Amino acid sequence: MKASAECLACVAAHAYDVIKKSGIRSEEELFNYYKKILSYTLQKTSWGDKPIEISKYVYDYLEEIFGDKDFYENEKTNSNQMLIEMYDDLYEYSRSSEDPIYAALKLSAVANLIDYGVKNSFGELEFEIESLSKNREFTIDDYELFTKKLENTETLLFIHDNAGEIVLDKVLIKIIKDNYPNIVIYSALRSSPVINDATLRDAEEIYLKEVSIPIESGSKYPGTLLESVGTSFMSIYNKANLVISKGQGNFEGLEGSSDKVFFILMAKCKTIASYLNIQVGDIIFKKDSLK
């Protein structure tokens, strides 16, 4: 898929948010840093780039300025802690459903619909998660194809997206392991802090190794481009019989790469929604289609 003009605006907004969180107080310095990043990105960007490729240019420049500092560390830790307290209940909710794997898939998918910051710890967030998973349906639903693929899977690679919601991914992985205990499951996390994407540190905070083998993807961008991953990740990706890709950024990078990939995501913008012929806010579980 090609980036639209809207993608330029979105990436620019993310860059501005990161610069604001850097602690710069001078309006002049803020103006000049932002101007340099926009200029660098626009020089590098061409029509036909994927949205995540535009992000790549931005985050390369941000890393040059600020290094690999985790500007969203507190937000990520807070969301991880909030969700991990609900893990046992959410696991039991999925396990006791008519189709536990499908129920866990929907839990994982609705994560992007939740505003963790405005919920309290007295069950409100847990209730919302379960309610959303019951009442929302996948606009694109390739679950039947997934279950057929799962029957013959020996190695599964799960490519995660954001902190916090990786707890819901953990529920899904646990449910899959319950039903297919012989499947070896790897969990791929970002190799450097980038916005609120999950890293190995986040995996440790939610004890992800209880259900899978956490690895670094080699990616330091908000998504996964196969030309920008590590050799270890690529080796596992190649040998995996099945890949679950979570989130819009991973979809942007991996779409069209392999028919063993299944995407879980919510359409967050008009560009993605139009490309998939769905509405903004829709959730999908889609098998990749090679072009």
Side-chain angles (χ1 to χ4, degrees):
M1 64 170 295
K2 296 183 180 69
S4 67
E6 182 184 34
C7 298
L8 291 173
C10 181
V11 169
H14 279 304
Y16 182 73
D17 288 343
V18 173
I19 297 172
K20 287 278 286 184
K21 290 180 74 67
S22 70
I24 294 173
R25 294 291 179 262
S26 165
E27 285 295 325
E28 181 179 1
E29 192 176 10
L30 178 65
F31 179 91
N32 288 330
Y33 270 133
Y34 192 45
K35 177 182 175 182
K36 288 177 182 178
I37 289 173
L38 292 182
S39 176
Y40 175 83
T41 302
L42 291 175
Q43 288 176 12
K44 290 284 188 178
T45 300
S46 302
W47 172 248
D49 282 349
K50 298 176 180 180
I52 187 179
E53 289 176 317
I54 302 176
S55 296
K56 178 179 181 295
Y57 307 135
V58 169
Y59 286 99
D60 280 343
Y61 201 88
L62 286 171
E63 183 181 27
E64 184 178 325
I65 298 171
F66 302 114
D68 62 353
K69 184 176 179 181
D70 192 348
F71 294 110
Y72 291 79
E73 180 179 348
N74 291 336
E75 290 93 329
K76 293 195 297 178
T77 294
N78 289 340
S79 60
N80 287 336
Q81 291 176 347
M82 188 181 301
L83 270 293
I84 199 63
E85 290 178 2
M86 306 171 194
Y87 172 77
D88 289 340
D89 289 342
L90 294 171
Y91 166 71
E92 184 58 30
Y93 163 80
S94 298
R95 190 192 66 79
S96 61
S97 299
E98 183 177 349
D99 186 335
I101 294 178
Y102 192 67
L105 270 171
K106 290 179 71 178
L107 277 183
S108 180
V110 301
N112 284 144
L113 298 168
I114 302 162
D115 183 357
Y116 304 140
V118 300
K119 301 298 181 293
N120 60 41
S121 59
F122 297 97
E124 184 180 351
L125 177 58
E126 184 178 334
F127 174 80
E128 181 181 358
I129 292 171
E130 294 182 3
S131 178
L132 281 169
S133 68
K134 288 176 183 177
N135 298 319
R136 294 293 295 262
E137 301 295 335
F138 289 118
T139 306
I140 301 173
D141 191 345
D142 286 337
Y143 180 62
E144 186 175 344
L145 295 174
F146 176 76
T147 56
K148 291 179 180 178
K149 188 80 173 177
L150 199 56
E151 292 286 344
N152 299 308
T153 292
E154 296 179 355
T155 302
L156 186 155
L157 173 62
F158 197 118
I159 305 175
H160 296 273
D161 189 22
N162 297 333
E165 69 182 66
I166 58 171
V167 174
L168 304 179
D169 300 340
K170 181 183 177 182
V171 172
L172 172 55
I173 293 170
K174 171 61 174 168
I175 292 292
I176 292 174
K177 289 288 287 185
D178 287 348
N179 288 270
Y180 300 92
N182 293 325
I183 295 179
V184 177
I185 301 180
Y186 293 89
S187 283
L189 296 308
R190 302 288 187 264
S191 291
S192 296
V194 53
I195 49 179
N196 65 334
D197 288 8
T199 63
L200 284 179
R201 174 174 178 164
D202 298 292
E204 291 172 0
E205 289 183 349
I206 68 150
Y207 318 107
L208 190 59
K209 66 180 180 181
E210 292 177 342
V211 298
S212 62
I213 304 170
I215 63 168
E216 289 188 355
S217 68
S219 174
K220 57 183 181 180
Y221 307 114
T224 303
L225 288 164
L226 292 181
E227 58 266 33
S228 300
V229 298
T231 55
S232 296
F233 170 90
M234 201 66 221
S235 176
I236 294 169
Y237 176 87
N238 286 332
K239 79 174 182 180
N241 309 108
L242 183 61
V243 178
I244 297 176
S245 168
K246 180 74 182 292
Q248 185 168 294
N250 286 327
F251 173 79
E252 292 170 8
L254 294 173
E255 191 260 346
S257 62
S258 173
D259 61 4
K260 67 182 179 183
V261 180
F262 284 78
F263 298 103
I264 309 173
L265 69 131
M266 182 189 77
K268 294 182 177 180
C269 65
K270 292 179 182 178
T271 299
I272 292 289
S274 176
Y275 183 76
L276 292 169
N277 196 28
I278 59 176
Q279 300 297 314
V280 173
D282 284 355
I283 57 173
I284 70 166
F285 183 56
K286 182 183 185 302
K287 182 179 181 292
D288 197 8
S289 300
L290 300 184
K291 300 270 182 0

